[in-house]
Amino acid sequence: MHSPVTIIGGGLGGLVLARVLHVHGIPAAVYEAESSPTARPQGGMLDIHDHNGQAALKAADLLDEFRGIVLEGRQAIRLLDRNGTVLFDKADDGAGKSPEVQRGELRQILLDALPAGTVRWGHQATGVRTLAEGRHQVTFADGTHVVTDLLVGADGAWSRVRALLSDAAPAYIGRSFVETHLYDADIRHPATAEAVGGGTLGAVDPAEHGKWFVAHREKGGVLHAHVTLVKPLDWFAAIDFTDAGAAAARIAEEYDGWAPELTALITGGGTAPVLRPLHALPRGHRWDRIPGVTLLGDAAHLSPPDGEGANLAMQDGAELGKALAAHPDDIETALTAYERALFPRSATAATTVGHNPTPQEVISFFTQDERTA
């Protein structure tokens, strides 16, 4: 099979690229490892920034659809200390520039805006190789393959495509999230729901490094938390995360003495906590121009979470789509222009607080006048 534009990965960045190309009349095929759009939960809330994520959706001609899924009031920000004392509290006054949406709903908007058959589900890339004249071949787990004039790696942190361009690999940054959910929180956990408030909660011990967490109020009374611990991977390996109660209790031990309305975010969930080890590519990651292939999103510039990842991936997809539309008969000129802007943009957006920020840096992140993450 031959395809002129092949996108590996059906996340937000890859789908924005496919949509922008479609707007400009350029066909593309997206190959996604998942078996369907509903094969797994698509994550929680995203704050979509006006200067990159929303600009990308404008390029995709989907701003109206985006506005239709914005959750009102979710730009409220509250910061508490370990005792539940309020350190900072900012209501959503409607003037914020980063409205919140559910990731799954945003992804569905993009899927619905593509021609039928654009996304090829159940295609897990297992190998890539370079052919002659700037073409590349991708092999999938089912034994099929595709040959393409332009290969775009939108396949995330553990990208297969990246190996064509770079020897870089993600490294563990020394910190992990433990992800939890509380359901029907306003009824079952009213004190915790009150502590979280209407939008985003940050909780931090100003005197202790390496412990803080963030919780978001999602639809239907769901509170979605990411609990942070600075621990080596073998520390987490000693925890059986299939035993929901025991795993939650072990993580909660690390937050011993914190207010019960806060630790309930760890122990009160109805499902097992999920470990999310955090990895990053070397800061300033770049590559030499190789004909017919490029990267976007986490495949290009995976960094510690700072609220920019999804926005940057969408921006990458939109900028690449616009570059290809501006040079439809000259792929290399388009890719050169795209990467010339991509590399400094990625470096600028990389987190500046270091891999494991101090409590004061965490507090500054939440209390800056115009939150950009």
Side-chain angles (χ1 to χ4, degrees):
M1 181 186 296
H2 178 265
S3 176
V5 180
T6 297
I7 303 165
I8 305 300
L12 298 179
L15 295 177
V16 166
L17 170 58
R19 169 61 184 179
V20 172
L21 291 176
H22 174 63
V23 167
H24 290 279
I26 302 173
V30 179
Y31 291 86
E32 168 54 46
E34 293 175 5
S35 59
S36 75
T38 58
R40 66 174 180 86
Q42 290 302 309
M45 303 277 287
L46 295 174
D47 47 336
I48 305 302
H49 307 159
D50 61 344
H51 64 280
N52 49 20
Q54 290 180 55
L57 292 168
K58 181 177 180 180
D61 195 22
L62 292 172
L63 266 184
D64 287 344
E65 289 82 352
F66 162 74
R67 292 179 181 127
I69 63 168
V70 167
L71 296 176
E72 298 299 331
R74 298 311 200 277
Q75 291 186 79
I77 302 170
R78 177 176 292 170
L79 182 66
L80 306 181
D81 70 9
R82 59 177 286 160
N83 299 313
T85 303
V86 177
L87 302 177
F88 178 80
D89 197 2
K90 182 179 180 181
D92 183 355
D93 60 5
K97 297 180 180 180
S98 300
E100 300 268 359
V101 299
Q102 300 274 159
R103 180 189 287 267
E105 294 184 358
L106 181 56
R107 188 191 196 205
Q108 193 59 51
I109 283 174
L110 290 162
L111 289 170
D112 290 343
L114 293 172
T118 298
V119 180
R120 321 290 170 84
W121 300 100
H123 282 75
Q124 180 181 2
T126 55
V128 293
R129 67 187 184 101
T130 300
L131 306 177
E133 299 177 349
R135 292 185 175 184
H136 296 84
Q137 177 180 293
V138 182
T139 302
F140 302 102
D142 63 1
T144 62
H145 70 269
V146 62
V147 173
T148 181
D149 296 327
L150 172 55
L151 177 61
V152 180
D155 47 343
W158 307 104
S159 170
R160 291 277 184 178
V161 178
R162 186 168 55 234
L164 295 172
L165 295 164
S166 168
D167 293 331
Y172 181 59
I173 67 171
R175 142 174 134 240
S176 293
F177 286 157
V178 176
E179 185 178 6
T180 66
H181 292 82
L182 265 62
Y183 298 96
D184 298 321
D186 294 296
I187 297 172
R188 299 174 61 188
H189 303 279
T192 302
E194 175 63 26
V196 172
T200 297
L201 164 74
V204 64
D205 183 347
E208 186 170 7
H209 179 239
K211 295 180 185 177
W212 73 93
F213 53 82
V214 178
H216 299 278
R217 178 175 288 275
E218 298 184 354
K219 279 188 171 181
V222 176
L223 301 181
H224 185 186
H226 289 86
V227 180
T228 301
L229 287 173
V230 176
K231 298 284 187 181
L233 287 174
D234 58 6
W235 187 90
F236 292 101
I239 300 173
D240 181 4
F241 280 90
T242 65
D243 186 335
R250 180 65 189 90
I251 299 302
E253 285 180 17
E254 298 299 310
Y255 284 83
D256 184 46
W258 287 50
E261 63 269 27
L262 298 178
T263 56
L265 287 162
I266 305 171
T267 59
T271 57
V274 178
L275 176 63
R276 305 289 188 194
L278 302 180
H279 296 76
L281 286 167
R283 193 170 301 181
H285 176 237
R286 60 175 60 212
W287 54 87
D288 294 330
R289 174 93 295 283
I290 292 179
V293 58
T294 194
L295 305 172
L296 64 79
D298 284 349
H301 47 69
L302 178 69
S303 64
D306 62 355
E308 286 285 0
N311 286 281
L312 283 176
M314 291 193 293
Q315 183 179 23
D316 292 349
E319 293 302 317
L320 178 53
K322 291 191 291 185
L324 291 167
H327 305 281
D329 300 317
D330 191 344
I331 288 175
E332 285 311 298
T333 295
L335 296 186
T336 298
Y338 163 69
E339 291 176 355
R340 185 183 298 123
L342 170 71
F343 296 143
R345 179 171 70 240
S346 301
T348 299
T351 181
T352 59
V353 299
H355 282 174
N356 294 309
T358 66
Q360 289 68 36
E361 287 167 333
V362 175
I363 291 170
S364 295
F365 176 82
F366 278 91
T367 58
Q368 57 189 297
D369 289 341
E370 189 61 38
R371 183 167 176 257
T372 58

